Amino acid sequence: MLCARRLAALGAGAAALRPGRAGRGILGAGIRARRVSTSWFPVGAAFNVKPQGRSLELFSGRRGLFGVPELSAPEGFHIAQEKALKKTEVLVERACSTPPGPQTVCIFDELSDSLCKVADLADFVKIAHPEPAFREAAEEACRSIGTMVEKLNTNVELYQSLQKLLADKKLVDSLDPETRRVAELFMFDFEISGIHLDKEKRKRAVDLNVKILDLSSTFLMGANFPNKIVKHLLPEHIHHNFISDGNHIVIDGLHAEASDDLVREAAYKIFLYPNAGQLKCLEELLSNRDLLAKLVGYSTFSHRALQGTIAKNPETVMQFLEKLSDKLSERTRKDFEMIQGMKMKLNPQKSEVMPWDPPYYSGVIRAERYNIEPSLYSPFFSLGACMEGLNILFNKLLGISLYAEQPAKGEVWCEDVRKLAVVHESEGLLGYIYCDFFQRADKPHQDCHFTIRGGRLKEDGNYQLPVVVLMLNLPHSSRGSPTLLTPGMMENLFHEMGHAMHSMLGRTRYQHITGTRCPTDFAEVPSILMEYFANDYRVVNQFARHYQTGQPLPKNMVSRLCESKKVCAAADMQLQVFYATLDQIYHGKHPLRRSTTDILKETQEKFYGLPYVPNTAWQLRFSHLVGYGAKYYSYLMSRAVASMVWKECFLQDPFNRAAGERYRREMLAHGGGKEPMLMVEGMLQKCPSVDDFVSALVSDLDLDFETFLMDSE
């Protein structure tokens, strides 16, 4: 009954990527504006100074993580989960005894909310809290909630209470569009678990779901597991590039940026060497997904996974990928020629371009052509300046300000976590963003957004404010300077803040569809759109100042940086097309006509162009097959939509308030409460075709003539 997205997250420890007439009009629905607090202070300064000692804490008790009273100690997770489980029993009974109607959907959503408030929070704490006791308690809470989710997904009486509502045409017609969509989403979540089947098939579906979760976990572990090789099999002069373990060399990655061709070649061939156990695990995972999809009424797993997305079906995805590949082919060929030229210049003996070459040589070309050494840029991108830049942008576009707020004792898991209040000029407080931005031991090395609590309209007319965490891995400030960001770090900050704003502004009536809880190929649109703002000089000029002199970042430096990203960008995009196509084939018609490695070889040669390397199996390291099975194309499609929104609505004026309000009203406000293509149509004022998506992506690769003029002056 809980959505599959959430169930998958419980199983895999995934980061969050997960309306209601929302937006400005939601106050008219009886939600009172929150008043401004006098304890808020400017966001920029908060990030350029170390946290101050909390003198008031001497007179206050511990509030618990995220202000949840029970979570002042690890044992509190058990209390929180037991309260949620007891509430679940009451709500299940109420759902089964309430006559079908809109109230049925409200009860289902409250049921989802009561479990998610514990599960989503625990999902974050189990990977991010520095104390093992908290991590273990959170892990146990995830398991307990996961068990309850499985029970609810197979509760026939609960399913029938929703079925009665959706089977009554008169009742369905009386529902508002958002309530109807949420009811249908809950029903979809039930049916992909096989609850509509007879008893024997239902048990088979449950068993397959459990097996898929186990195989997914095993595959993820294997995808990141290092390979070893006996030392004497590698030339001694490259040993120092790798970890040594007694008589073995440990290869834990591709070393794609290493300047020595032999190091990259050795890493590629050893790290990607096939593992029989991992190969069997992948084959079983794909096979079981196919069996489950067929059992619940779909011809392939891909058809099941793509229901409700922008693409809608695998046929559209393949059409998108094939057309994009055709449009990229000539540009990709030129990129490979450019890489070959640079390789020949630096290593004349071995000039053939191999799969381990593009990341390194494209970086060399970029640096030589554009002089974009990160150390030249980072003095202009202090963290405080970047946060103030976001604040200025959101204020001009959306009437929203970010304020730092002092967290209470026990509210945060590390003293350098900052708490931001998101405040609208007329609607008041919209929600909270906890910024876990700095490096620390045992912290996952990933930039991501976690939903801790989804927004929803409560029975008393108040709005449950959304709470999210943004996790980055930035360096700490030093004695002489604040935290300084490279251009890549700055862009990542803007990207993740795009997810956070989606969560803050997806002000839906139902928690089940709040914020980023929407189809995967739409969820990345707001975050990728923020990258376009981060690369526009008019936006960057609002905040990029040298932390010592106050000098603004010169325009030609921003232009060079933007153009440098287009170096070999066609080849990079072609690689993504290859990965997405491979994902579609693996989740398409079964049984697969060839081995996963043979399919890899064939697809690589057709959709990428660089030769397959014998005795390698890159697919065994393709960890996205777990969380993004049949959906790896989503990033490309989201980028296409974001590109179109940027060009149509913000390119002329990135601070256009009318466009910002339209963006909120048409795209952000609905969360997952509206068909994604309808949201895109509402924003663009037209229905884009596959050709439009392809053209948007390809046009982004064109060089800006103005940059050459500026650089030649």
Side-chain angles (χ1 to χ4, degrees):
M1 178 248 40
L2 276 187
C3 73
R5 287 191 300 278
R6 198 107 66 243
L7 184 56
L10 289 172
L17 268 200
R18 295 258 170 225
R21 299 292 164 228
R24 301 179 73 102
I26 199 147
L27 289 174
I31 298 175
R32 296 183 284 278
R34 312 267 174 164
R35 286 181 297 177
V36 173
S37 166
T38 54
S39 66
W40 293 332
F41 48 99
V43 69
F47 283 88
N48 273 354
V49 296
K50 289 188 181 294
Q52 300 300 307
R54 298 176 184 147
S55 55
L56 294 176
E57 289 172 4
L58 296 172
F59 307 102
S60 65
R62 287 176 68 88
R63 273 183 67 183
L65 289 171
F66 299 103
V68 178
E70 295 91 341
L71 300 185
S72 58
E75 304 76 51
F77 268 107
H78 183 71
I79 298 166
Q81 84 194 29
E82 288 305 307
K83 278 172 70 174
L85 295 175
K86 279 189 181 130
K87 186 175 180 183
T88 297
E89 289 174 15
V90 172
L91 288 168
V92 168
E93 197 173 312
R94 197 194 305 172
C96 295
S97 59
T98 300
Q103 191 57 28
T104 307
V105 182
C106 293
I107 297 167
F108 267 73
D109 191 65
E110 193 177 351
L111 185 50
S112 174
D113 182 60
S114 65
L115 291 171
C116 288
K117 271 197 269 196
V118 178
D120 288 345
L121 194 156
D123 221 24
F124 168 74
V125 171
K126 76 178 185 183
I127 68 161
H129 203 289
E131 294 179 30
F134 267 101
R135 293 200 300 268
E136 288 160 17
E139 181 80 61
E140 179 52 41
C142 281
R143 274 195 293 271
S144 294
I145 300 293
T147 302
M148 175 54 80
V149 168
E150 284 172 29
K151 280 175 67 177
L152 294 176
N153 279 340
T154 53
N155 186 319
V156 176
E157 195 181 354
L158 190 63
Y159 162 68
Q160 287 170 344
S161 69
L162 188 63
Q163 194 182 38
K164 281 177 198 166
L165 168 63
L166 289 170
D168 188 324
K169 187 177 184 306
K170 194 174 177 184
L171 268 179
V172 169
D173 290 344
S174 72
L175 300 176
D176 65 85
E178 185 183 48
T179 301
R180 179 174 177 169
R181 179 164 171 82
V182 173
E184 288 168 349
L185 286 171
F186 276 123
M187 180 57 77
F188 175 69
D189 295 334
F190 266 130
E191 292 187 346
I192 61 172
S193 298
I195 200 163
H196 57 302
L197 305 171
D198 62 47
K199 192 173 179 182
E200 189 181 321
K201 286 181 178 174
R202 196 160 61 240
K203 183 182 183 306
R204 174 86 174 122
V206 170
D207 291 344
L208 281 168
N209 269 312
V210 171
K211 193 170 183 185
I212 287 166
L213 275 176
D214 289 342
L215 287 165
S216 297
S217 181
T218 304
F219 183 79
L220 272 179
M221 285 177 64
N224 297 303
F225 201 75
N227 273 345
K228 286 184 178 182
I229 187 169
V230 180
K231 277 183 176 176
H232 75 262
L233 294 176
L234 275 186
E236 194 172 334
H237 73 276
I238 67 169
H239 285 191
H240 70 278
N241 291 279
F242 307 110
I243 300 163
S244 187
D245 180 15
N247 198 33
H248 289 82
I249 293 288
V250 179
I251 313 289
D252 60 357
L254 292 174
H255 293 253
E257 304 299 331
S259 59
D260 188 327
D261 285 2
L262 187 58
V263 170
R264 294 195 312 279
E265 180 179 352
Y268 189 93
K269 289 179 174 178
I270 297 164
F271 189 63
L272 299 184
Y273 191 79
N275 175 290
Q278 183 77 343
L279 196 57
K280 187 170 184 291
C281 179
L282 175 59
E283 287 166 353
E284 285 188 24
L285 175 61
L286 298 176
S287 172
N288 279 279
R289 280 177 168 173
D290 181 71
L291 288 170
L292 179 61
K294 286 190 170 82
L295 188 65
V296 298
Y298 293 90
S299 55
T300 69
F301 179 82
S302 191
H303 282 90
R304 183 193 123 167
L306 296 177
Q307 184 139 330
T309 60
I310 293 175
K312 293 189 169 70
N313 57 61
E315 292 77 20
T316 303
V317 174
M318 283 308 299
Q319 186 188 20
F320 168 63
L321 295 172
E322 285 168 355
K323 286 191 171 192
L324 180 55
S325 187
D326 287 345
K327 290 283 188 185
L328 288 173
S329 61
E330 183 59 24
R331 292 171 187 253
T332 301
R333 187 183 61 76
K334 287 179 179 174
D335 282 355
F336 287 150
E337 283 178 3
M338 189 161 55
I339 289 168
Q340 185 174 29
M342 181 56 75
K343 187 173 183 180
M344 191 176 286
K345 182 177 164 185
L346 298 179
N347 185 2
Q349 288 78 35
K350 276 192 167 184
S351 60
E352 184 187 1
V353 179
M354 297 300 287
W356 52 81
D357 288 327
Y360 172 69
Y361 284 109
S362 60
V364 172
I365 296 166
R366 207 173 289 125
E368 186 181 87
R369 189 176 290 181
Y370 291 103
N371 187 25
I372 48 156
E373 172 58 42
S375 62
L376 297 174
Y377 288 84
S378 55
F380 295 91
F381 293 141
S382 72
L383 178 56
C386 294
M387 293 302 296
E388 190 51 46
L390 286 161
N391 190 40
I392 291 166
L393 178 63
F394 293 146
N395 196 263
K396 290 186 175 188
L397 271 185
L398 299 160
I400 282 169
S401 298
L402 306 174
Y403 293 101
E405 181 176 305
Q406 183 81 337
K409 185 179 181 183
E411 188 178 347
V412 295
W413 49 101
C414 187
E415 68 163 12
D416 58 20
V417 173
R418 310 294 207 278
K419 180 183 181 184
L420 297 184
V422 180
V423 184
H424 189 269
E425 61 192 15
S426 63
E427 296 168 34
L429 181 62
L430 298 180
Y432 289 106
I433 303 169
Y434 288 83
C435 300
D436 187 356
F437 282 175
F438 301 102
Q439 296 166 348
R440 63 174 176 271
D442 297 326
K443 182 179 177 181
H445 289 285
Q446 58 193 55
D447 295 346
C448 48
H449 161 279
F450 293 84
T451 297
I452 301 299
R453 183 176 72 200
R456 73 183 183 102
L457 184 59
K458 297 193 285 189
E459 282 185 278
D460 62 6
N462 284 314
Y463 198 76
Q464 176 173 289
L465 295 179
V467 175
V468 303
V469 173
L470 292 190
M471 183 191 282
L472 304 176
N473 275 276
L474 303 179
H476 286 274
S477 57
S478 61
R479 183 173 294 178
S481 70
T483 291
L484 301 177
L485 278 59
T486 64
M489 291 173 183
M490 184 272 282
E491 188 176 281
N492 285 353
L493 170 63
F494 271 63
H495 177 102
E496 297 304 334
M497 195 59 82
H499 286 310
M501 279 299 120
H502 198 182
S503 290
M504 295 297 112
L505 294 172
R507 292 178 79 74
T508 53
R509 189 182 323 172
Y510 301 104
Q511 176 272 158
H512 194 65
I513 49 166
T514 184
T516 57
R517 288 176 180 153
C518 59
T520 312
D521 57 5
F522 185 81
E524 288 293 324
V525 173
S527 53
I528 294 173
L529 181 62
M530 284 298 292
E531 294 176 22
Y532 286 88
F533 285 100
N535 287 291
D536 188 281
Y537 178 72
R538 294 163 295 180
V539 175
V540 173
N541 190 46
Q542 298 286 315
F543 67 89
R545 299 287 181 275
H546 196 287
Y547 77 98
Q548 289 171 315
T549 66
Q551 173 198 355
L553 181 63
K555 185 175 182 181
N556 70 333
M557 284 182 70
V558 177
S559 300
R560 286 207 311 271
L561 186 65
C562 292
E563 293 308 294
S564 75
K565 292 174 184 175
K566 297 174 184 177
V567 171
C568 300
D572 289 343
M573 194 178 286
Q574 190 79 57
L575 183 64
Q576 296 304 310
V577 171
F578 157 45
Y579 293 162
T581 305
L582 188 68
D583 174 43
Q584 286 301 309
I585 295 170
Y586 283 168
H587 291 103
K589 193 174 178 183
H590 274 245
L592 296 173
R593 53 193 173 75
R594 304 172 76 178
S595 72
T596 58
T597 303
D598 285 340
I599 291 168
L600 171 87
K601 179 178 185 290
E602 184 181 291
T603 310
Q604 180 170 328
E605 287 167 359
K606 183 179 176 184
F607 285 92
Y608 189 39
L610 294 187
Y612 165 77
V613 179
N615 296 314
T616 64
W618 179 85
Q619 77 275 20
L620 304 184
R621 301 292 185 178
F622 194 7
S623 57
H624 285 84
L625 287 173
V626 171
Y628 287 81
K631 295 181 183 178
Y632 191 83
Y633 79 93
S634 294
Y635 187 78
L636 284 168
M637 190 157 277
S638 287
R639 181 164 288 281
V641 173
S643 174
M644 294 176 77
V645 170
W646 170 257
K647 287 165 193 158
E648 295 282 331
C649 308
F650 297 110
L651 179 59
Q652 194 171 349
D653 176 8
F655 305 112
N656 185 314
R657 180 65 182 264
E661 291 295 345
R662 189 162 113 225
Y663 175 51
R664 178 182 181 181
R665 184 177 65 250
E666 298 291 349
M667 292 189 87
L668 298 179
H670 304 285
K674 193 173 177 180
E675 286 279 345
M677 190 56 110
L678 293 178
M679 292 191 272
V680 174
E681 283 179 39
M683 189 67 199
L684 297 175
Q685 305 287 288
K686 68 171 186 178
C687 179
S689 65
V690 167
D691 288 327
D692 291 330
F693 290 143
V694 169
S695 296
L697 288 171
V698 174
S699 68
D700 277 353
L701 303 174
D702 292 331
L703 291 171
D704 181 2
F705 188 60
E706 182 191 352
T707 306
F708 294 108
L709 289 178
M710 285 169 43
D711 280 349
S712 63
E713 288 171 2

